[in-house]
């Protein structure tokens, strides 16, 4: 079945007891047993399992083509759970321009005994050179945040297999609509479901999907309730609801993003546009070979430097200046200022999350702000 159909019907059926078409929200923290002590259902206590969480996990696992899904209270929580399967002393390779929250997490874990190298993963030779005998995980983020660099997932998987390491791909930006890392050989997919899955800037969450049911997957399952960083039933319900319209929303948002990228590319005040759907993007061929679409995120740099970037963001009316991405409303952000002094992001760069407004209105808004910048 197609992703639009799965996004609606996976683990989503009318309630046999009431006929309710919309799923109920099971707020109960605990689940009753029969007089003999046997559980009535598969659920006993909500930290170890809850019907809303199970439905969400099963749906995301099916969309990604994996064996099991594990939902967390945030995307960073999901990435943390993958890192928790490693041992002190294990070596991890991550992208040099990885999402800064993931970078902070990896640095924190380095303090706990992981050793981490940040590498330009769009250059596969640099990835090959960084691999060591103790490398256990290659964490890929493609497109990367906020430079939209593309990593060749198939090549990373080939290198990882030869080294006995695993590959986790942060698939938050493309989602399974546009990219299926497990099909390309990755072991795990991680998501911030705060973004396109939820889609309405009103719920925080994360999901990991494992390709196979093996010892590490079992470890992850046990860790989920042992560490306890699980999302609430209502949050799971919201994300599961968001998932239903995700393919249709993201397809429309990506179409607008392509138009906006082409418009910005021809604008005299814009020095560079980062969008993998532009044929002159340095990794366009890799992107076209592993993505079904190029997503709704882009970034661009201005000739006038930091001042022009900040003025442009301030002059926009429809793009809200706010962190995060993937929702129905368009957002813009000066990442350097948000990331702080350790940021590697160019100071003249603005990152844009294209929403569901009419693209002509978004283009007019950009035109007005750039005129004044
Ligand atoms: N991964 C990517 C690519 C992100 O952009 C983000 C947040 O922006 C995260 C992970 C972290 O997600 P969360 O804020 O839900 O923890």
């Amino acid at each position: 079945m197609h992703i639009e159909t799965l996004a609606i019907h996976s683990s989503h059926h009318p309630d046999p007891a009431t006929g309710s078409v919309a799923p109920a929200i099971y707020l109960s923290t605990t689940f009753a047993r029969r007089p003999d002590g046997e559980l009535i259902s598969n659920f006993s206590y909500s930290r170890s399992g809850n019907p809303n969480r199970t439905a969400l996990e099963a749906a995301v696992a099916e969309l990604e083509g994996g064996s099991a899904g594990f939902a967390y209270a945030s995307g960073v929580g999901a990435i943390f759970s993958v890192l928790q399967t490693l041992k002190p002393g294990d070596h991890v390779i991550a992208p040099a321009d990885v999402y800064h929250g993931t970078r902070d997490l990896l640095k924190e874990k380095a303090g706990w005994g992981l050793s981490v190298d940040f590498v330009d993963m769009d250059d596969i030779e640099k990835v090959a050179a960084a691999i060591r005998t103790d490398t256990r995980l290659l964490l890929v983020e493609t497109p990367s945040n906020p430079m939209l660099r593309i990593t060749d997932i198939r090549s990373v998987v080939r290198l990882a297999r030869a080294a006995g390491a695993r590959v986790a791909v942060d698939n938050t930006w493309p989602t399974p609509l546009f990219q299926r890392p497990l099909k390309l050989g990755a072991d795990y997919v991680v998501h911030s479901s705060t973004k396109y899955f939820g889609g309405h800037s009103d719920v925080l969450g994360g999901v990991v999907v494992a390709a196979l049911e093996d010892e590490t997957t079992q470890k992850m399952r046990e860790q989920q309730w042992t560490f306890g960083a699980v999302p609430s039933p209502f949050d799971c319900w919201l994300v599961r609801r968001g998932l239903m319209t995700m393919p249709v929303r993201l397809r429309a948002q990506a179409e607008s993003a392509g138009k906006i990228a082409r418009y910005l590319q021809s604008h005299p005040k814009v020095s560079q546009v980062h969008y993998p759907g532009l044929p002159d993007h340095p990794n366009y061929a890799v992107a076209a070979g592993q993505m079904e679409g190029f997503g709704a995120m882009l970034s661009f740099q201005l000739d006038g430097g930091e001042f022009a970037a900040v003025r442009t963001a301030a002059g926009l009316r429809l793009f809200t200046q706010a962190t995060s991405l993937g929702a129905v409303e368009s957002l813009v952000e000066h990442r350097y200022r948000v990331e702080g002094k350790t940021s590697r992001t160019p100071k003249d760069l603005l990152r844009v999350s294209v929403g569901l407004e009419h693209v002509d209105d978004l283009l007019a808004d950009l035109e007005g702000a750039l005129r004044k910048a």
Side-chain angles (χ1 to χ4, degrees):
M1 274 189 277
H2 295 84
I3 189 166
E4 289 82 354
T5 312
L6 289 176
I8 292 167
H9 290 286
S10 178
S11 318
H12 173 61
H13 315 287
D15 177 13
T18 63
S20 168
V21 171
I25 304 173
Y26 294 88
L27 292 175
S28 187
T29 53
T30 190
F31 296 84
R33 293 173 186 265
R34 295 198 179 89
D36 63 3
E38 286 299 308
L39 285 166
I40 292 174
S41 69
N42 291 330
F43 301 103
S44 62
Y45 184 61
S46 258
R47 175 157 50 80
S48 57
N50 169 281
N52 298 105
R53 197 167 92 216
T54 301
L56 171 64
E57 292 171 339
V60 178
E62 190 166 7
L63 294 190
E64 287 287 4
S67 72
F70 305 105
Y72 292 91
S74 70
V76 164
I79 297 166
F80 184 70
S81 80
V82 174
L83 299 182
Q84 280 301 121
T85 63
L86 302 171
K87 297 189 305 305
D90 286 349
H91 177 235
V92 179
I93 296 174
D97 65 331
V98 71
Y99 164 60
H100 82 116
T102 306
R103 168 176 279 269
D104 290 347
L105 175 63
L106 284 161
K107 284 185 170 165
E108 179 68 24
K109 291 292 295 179
W112 296 13
L114 280 189
S115 92
V116 184
D117 275 319
F118 295 98
V119 174
D120 291 324
M121 290 183 87
D122 54 340
D123 183 342
I124 203 68
E125 290 186 4
K126 287 192 183 164
V127 180
I131 289 187
R132 311 190 323 210
T133 52
D134 56 355
T135 303
R136 291 291 167 268
L137 180 74
L138 287 91
L139 178 61
V140 174
E141 185 182 282
T142 180
S144 66
N145 178 0
M147 300 303 292
L148 283 291
R149 299 223 169 92
I150 302 294
T151 297
D152 181 345
I153 299 174
R154 290 186 189 88
S155 300
V156 169
V157 166
R158 220 172 291 127
L159 290 174
R161 288 281 169 277
R166 295 191 176 218
V167 176
V169 178
D170 187 329
N171 210 30
T172 300
W173 284 24
T175 83
L177 175 67
F178 289 144
Q179 184 167 275
R180 303 280 179 91
L182 302 184
K183 265 198 183 165
L184 304 176
D187 301 282
Y188 309 109
V189 162
V190 293
H191 277 281
S192 165
S193 44
T194 315
K195 317 300 179 189
Y196 293 103
F197 285 7
H200 295 76
S201 305
D202 54 11
V203 59
L204 205 69
V207 184
V208 180
V209 177
L212 301 174
E213 190 55 58
D214 64 10
E215 245 176 61
T216 317
T217 305
Q218 184 52 27
K219 187 170 176 183
M220 225 177 249
R221 181 172 291 115
E222 286 161 14
Q223 284 178 349
Q224 188 192 31
W225 56 270
T226 312
F227 297 153
V230 292
S232 74
F234 182 49
D235 287 356
C236 294
W237 186 92
L238 277 175
V239 176
R240 180 65 193 89
R241 183 173 74 158
L243 213 49
M244 295 198 196
T245 52
M246 183 274 290
V248 180
R249 275 187 282 112
L250 181 51
R251 215 184 281 290
Q253 288 170 255
E255 196 183 321
S256 297
K259 287 184 184 160
I260 290 172
R262 287 189 290 279
Y263 159 79
L264 289 171
Q265 206 176 27
S266 64
H267 198 284
K269 290 188 177 172
V270 174
S271 58
Q272 236 185 319
V273 181
H274 307 282
Y275 183 67
L278 294 174
D280 59 357
H281 183 288
N283 314 120
Y284 176 76
V286 178
Q290 69 185 19
M291 300 179 81
E292 305 271 324
F294 300 105
M297 292 298 298
L298 60 95
S299 58
F300 64 101
Q301 292 174 251
L302 287 118
D303 270 332
E306 182 175 4
F307 184 67
V310 171
R311 266 184 69 94
T312 302
L316 289 163
R317 293 287 165 268
L318 294 177
F319 292 81
T320 302
Q321 273 205 74
T323 205
S324 202
L325 58 108
V328 292
E329 54 281 300
S330 294
L331 302 179
V332 65
E333 199 171 33
H334 186 252
R335 288 298 293 172
Y336 176 82
R337 292 197 176 178
V338 169
E339 290 170 3
K341 287 209 167 64
T342 56
S343 173
R344 296 165 44 100
T345 302
K347 291 182 183 174
D348 58 358
L349 180 138
L350 290 177
R351 189 188 76 179
V352 174
S353 170
V354 177
L356 267 181
E357 302 90 342
H358 196 287
V359 68
D360 291 347
D361 295 331
L362 295 177
L363 289 169
D365 197 25
L366 282 162
E367 177 77 27
L370 282 166
R371 200 179 309 124
K372 286 184 242 143

